[in-house]
DNA sequence: CTGTTAGCGCATTCAC
DNA sequence: GTGAATGCGCTAACAG
């Protein structure tokens, strides 16, 4: 392997340098390097040696111009800060990188104007596709169907069903949580959710309630909504226990809320999970594995969602098509000590 | 503003289309669009109108090939998962984006081979610069000084002083923490740190001890090292209090450790901050603002570090130079309830 | 099998 | 002021 230092020089070697150094014409050098069949083995060797000697690396910019494709995709996020965006990014970057395609990262910072700017920039740079990553699962405005490249919406689906969107199955997630609690023998199950304006909150509640009904159970009390914070988890838990002391399990809308709930339960002398089981959403490792007991949670498989988005781009690049619509990806139950006591 | 849908079409408009539509030659159209002076106003108007009419957007690939510059930089991270990387990324992307330059995101996932691949890819794509973002503040291997573009190392400095590196001033951070505690009247100050193999841990301890000595104080007990977890914060705090019940302040190596400490202090009936003050590092909002009381912490200003990295790239692009060496960026004290009680 | 010709889309000479 | 000519580095379609 040529050392990286060799890549240097006053001017990187061009195909022309290689060709003349090998004593052949430029197209011949090109064919030889690209493994095309119509080149004599002897010639190919000479060219390869010359390329090696000069540490030749093809200029992708020129290659892209000639090819009309760039082998790049744009990752257009609405907000990098949102903690659900990063795993999706990672998954996408990973999958795309493995396919030899590089990623332009653009953060619109929640600003529609900036998003338009970035979109134009990406198209000017002739990206082969775009992945739009939103911060919530609420539908977002479509970029329109007439863009010259395939677009995949991840996490936040497009508000148009003519676009291709990938989002976690939050209703299934709620169902998963409730079913786990039921399976472990809980019958008096309450729900502390987050911000009621989030569709994720509504979807999960709906799924959980459906599972309870299927099992012939009723939720204990009304679902409590407020914010996705530990503070709310504490307050809501106090409220819940004063109104419904008989509760034996709490579904919490996020791991943060669950941490608050566990905290307050301990203050109130209720044992987790013996007296009351607690389950969260998001499987945020830092929170889930550091609580006492560790937190059972629903993982949205976001990294996988990012990978699927990349895969969709790939297939669109191949076939040119993308079967439009909203695709809900399955979530996953991660069992820890807050719902099942250690033996 | 032309709607985005207009950007579409069977084939995006080229400069040639604009030129013929305006009844001028290609070079003239080019000059007119680029605001060059040697074009008659009347001609310029015709060209601009034609461009507008055709929704012309210059093909950046072609423009880059001709110019020999791409207006892109590579962001080479060793590990996207590391939670210190994201804010740096955000800062860099933000600053670069504002300067009209786009960012290639590459995650090496802690693998040197993959890093080499990405580096080669970035150079082939003719990025104008590279920012290398590490996951720890321990020095990392240099990419070498002979690369054809400026390289800035962020967070993890290069092990070569001939490179340009930006890293948080952890020693200053430790000093900041100790000085704050001293200023608020604490005198029996202990230190619970994280993984002793991290240079960040050592640097902060060193800074804190120096500040204590300057104030004529001695640290209470040996610094306790283990891991950057809440669990360790709990265990270490128990240990500390049994050995040194007189302690009146604890410097914790991270916010996670601090959360554990606060948790155990409450269990042991010590009031925070009245009996014992607690300060953390990282200012990880989710942890710091959700604890009871909220957590005073040292913020490493990572987003600013990312911005500075971008600025360094800019100046290198302009002047061609970068004054090599390890540059330590100041940190910032964020005071909350765990060191000063609310009135 | 090889090399000549042409073109990707744009910007930069330089004559006119 | 304007346009014809040339080049960025590479690939594709031909002719030899």
């Amino acid at each position: 392997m040529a050392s990286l230092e060799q890549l240097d020089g006053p001017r990187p070697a061009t195909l022309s340098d290689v060709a003349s150094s090998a004593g052949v014409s430029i197209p011949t050098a090109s064919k030889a390097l690209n493994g095309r069949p119509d080149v004599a083995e002897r010639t190919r060797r000479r060219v390869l040696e010359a390329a090696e000697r000069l540490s030749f690396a093809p200029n992708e910019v020129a290659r892209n111009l000639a090819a009309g494709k760039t082998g790049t995709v744009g990752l257009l996020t609405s907000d990098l800060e949102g903690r659900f965006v990063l795993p999706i990014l990672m998954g996408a970057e990973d999958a795309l990188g493995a396919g030899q395609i590089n990623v332009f990262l653009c953060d619109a910072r929640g600003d529609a104007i900036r998003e338009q700017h970035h979109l134009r920039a990406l198209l000017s740079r002739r990206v082969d596709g775009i992945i739009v990553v939103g911060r919530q699962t609420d539908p977002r405005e479509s970029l329109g169907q007439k863009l010259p490249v395939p677009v995949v919406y991840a996490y936040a689906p497009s508000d148009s069903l003519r676009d291709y969107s990938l989002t976690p199955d939050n209703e299934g997630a709620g169902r998963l949580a409730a079913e786990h609690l039921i399976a472990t023998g809980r019958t008096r199950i309450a729900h502390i959710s987050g911000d009621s304006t989030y569709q994720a909150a509504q979807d999960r509640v709906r799924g959980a309630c459906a599972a309870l009904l299927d099992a012939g159970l009723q939720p204990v009390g009304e679902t409590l909504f407020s914010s996705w914070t530990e503070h709310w988890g504490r307050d809501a838990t106090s409220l819940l226990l004063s109104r419904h002391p008989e509760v034996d399990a709490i579904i919490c809308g996020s791991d943060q809320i669950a941490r608050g709930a566990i905290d307050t339960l301990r203050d109130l002398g209720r044992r987790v999970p013996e007296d009351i089981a607690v389950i969260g959403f998001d499987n945020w490792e830092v929170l889930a594995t550091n609580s006492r007991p560790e937190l059972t949670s629903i993982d949205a498989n976001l990294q996988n969602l990012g990978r699927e988005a990349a895969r969709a781009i790939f297939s669109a690049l191949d076939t040119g098509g993308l079967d439009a619509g909203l695709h809900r990806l399955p979530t996953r139950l991660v069992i820890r000590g807050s719902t099942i006591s250690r033996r």
Side-chain angles (χ1 to χ4, degrees), chain A residues 18-79:
Chain A
V18 175
S20 66
S21 168
V24 299
S25 71
I26 294 181
T28 300
S30 172
K31 291 170 197 163
L33 288 169
N34 290 332
R36 303 282 292 273
D38 51 349
V39 167
E41 262 321 303
R42 234 181 66 81
T43 311
R44 184 189 308 279
R45 296 182 57 86
R46 282 222 315 286
V47 172
L48 290 178
E49 281 168 17
E52 175 76 12
R53 189 176 339 118
L54 300 174
S55 299
F56 169 75
N59 180 330
E60 288 296 332
V61 179
R63 182 183 279 210
N64 293 339
L65 177 59
K69 305 181 309 174
T70 55
T72 62
V73 321
L75 258 171
L76 191 50
T77 87
S78 60
D79 176 15

Side-chain angles (χ1 to χ4, degrees), chain A residues 6 13 19 24 29-30 39 46 76 79 117 158 190 203 212 278 299:
Chain A
Q6 315 278 328
V24 299
S30 172
V39 167
R46 282 222 315 286
L76 191 50
D79 176 15
H117 279 322
S158 162
D203 289 347
L212 290 181
V278 173
D299 190 312

Side-chain angles (χ1 to χ4, degrees), chain A residues 82-167:
Chain A
R83 74 175 180 287
F84 304 121
V85 167
L86 186 60
I88 300 173
L89 236 70
M90 289 178 56
E93 198 280 335
D94 187 40
L96 292 169
Q100 307 285 5
I101 118 166
N102 281 113
V103 162
F104 276 117
L105 178 64
C106 299
D107 182 5
R109 314 206 129 209
D111 178 359
I113 304 291
R114 215 169 327 214
E115 185 175 87
Q116 291 294 318
H117 279 322
H118 278 141
L119 178 55
R120 290 177 190 280
L122 290 175
L123 294 176
S124 289
R125 290 197 185 281
R126 294 296 187 267
V127 294
D128 295 333
I130 295 178
I131 299 177
V132 180
V133 187
R135 59 183 305 182
Q136 308 175 198
T137 60
D138 298 71
R140 52 149 288 147
E141 195 184 350
S142 171
L143 295 180
Q145 284 79 42
K146 295 190 166 182
L147 297 180
V149 296
V151 179
V152 172
Y153 297 80
Y155 205 68
S158 162
D159 61 7
S160 164
L161 287 179
R162 306 190 50 188
D163 293 321
Y164 182 92
S165 304
L166 294 173
T167 196

